[in-house]
Amino acid sequence: MEKIRKIVGLCGSLRKGSYNAMLLKVAGGLIPEGIEFEIVAYDDVPIYNADHDLPETEERPASVTKFREALAAADAFIIASPEYNYSIPGGLKNAIDWASRGKDSPLMHKPVAVMGATQGMWGTVRMQTAFLPVFTFLNMNPVLQPEVLIAQAQNKFDADGNLTDERTIGIIQKKVENLISACKV
């Protein structure tokens, strides 16, 4: 692959004040100069319905087309997400379902790094594991190490959304470096 130009971030939580939105901003801030980072929203993407997707219709909903185009511009992805019911949050999974369809899927064959923050004790380990079959189907290149599993996030972020745990920042830095290296393979 040529030089990496852009990494797109997806947040699994739409909540105002989300620790995962804060985590995604921290990760984006650790990306080296010269590589663009953009967090792409998907809160206007409708529930997936094959009747509104190609080839059943001539064009996808406008919000889906916009979302897929934003993903297509990426060389790699960072997903920061909470864990809902031991798995991927429904809204994020729905957006990925829209992006995964068709031979023109903007996710196919691209590196991806998953991380998560939670107020609980398990640090999103089950959500991250739940992504593995999705990545396999899309023939993505998941960057598995180091694992970024932030438990008790309320004790690691300050009131301004800054991550205050230096050890965790170092782990995120290494994950970002490994994601960039995966793009050069």
Side-chain angles (χ1 to χ4, degrees), residues 8-11 19-29 37 39-40 78-80 115:
V8 163
L10 297 172
C11 184
Y19 291 112
N20 285 285
M22 295 175 200
L23 172 57
L24 201 52
K25 288 178 184 172
V26 169
F37 178 69
I39 297 173
V40 174
I78 297 175
I79 298 172
M115 52 188 69

Side-chain angles (χ1 to χ4, degrees), residues 5 82 154 167:
R5 298 173 309 276
Q154 68 276 16
R167 182 175 174 271

Side-chain angles (χ1 to χ4, degrees), residues 105-162:
S105 169
L107 301 172
M108 296 287 284
H109 311 289
K110 293 183 181 176
V112 59
V114 180
M115 52 188 69
T118 181
Q119 293 183 13
M121 295 295 293
W122 287 92
T124 72
V125 69
R126 292 180 189 106
M127 174 276 301
Q128 294 189 36
T129 303
F131 261 114
L132 294 177
V134 176
F135 298 152
T136 299
F137 175 78
L138 292 168
N139 201 22
M140 294 182 84
N141 179 12
V143 175
L144 303 175
Q145 297 296 324
E147 293 176 310
V148 179
L149 306 163
I150 303 175
Q152 298 185 327
Q154 68 276 16
N155 300 326
K156 296 183 179 167
F157 289 90
D158 67 20
D160 295 321
N162 299 305

Side-chain angles (χ1 to χ4, degrees), residues 67-106:
F67 178 67
R68 288 173 60 101
E69 287 172 352
L71 298 183
D75 297 305
F77 302 98
I78 297 175
I79 298 172
S81 180
E83 179 175 297
Y84 291 176
N85 301 317
Y86 292 177
S87 195
I88 303 165
L92 177 58
K93 178 64 168 69
N94 177 67
I96 289 171
D97 287 345
W98 271 109
S100 70
R101 301 298 194 247
K103 292 182 181 182
D104 64 337
S105 169

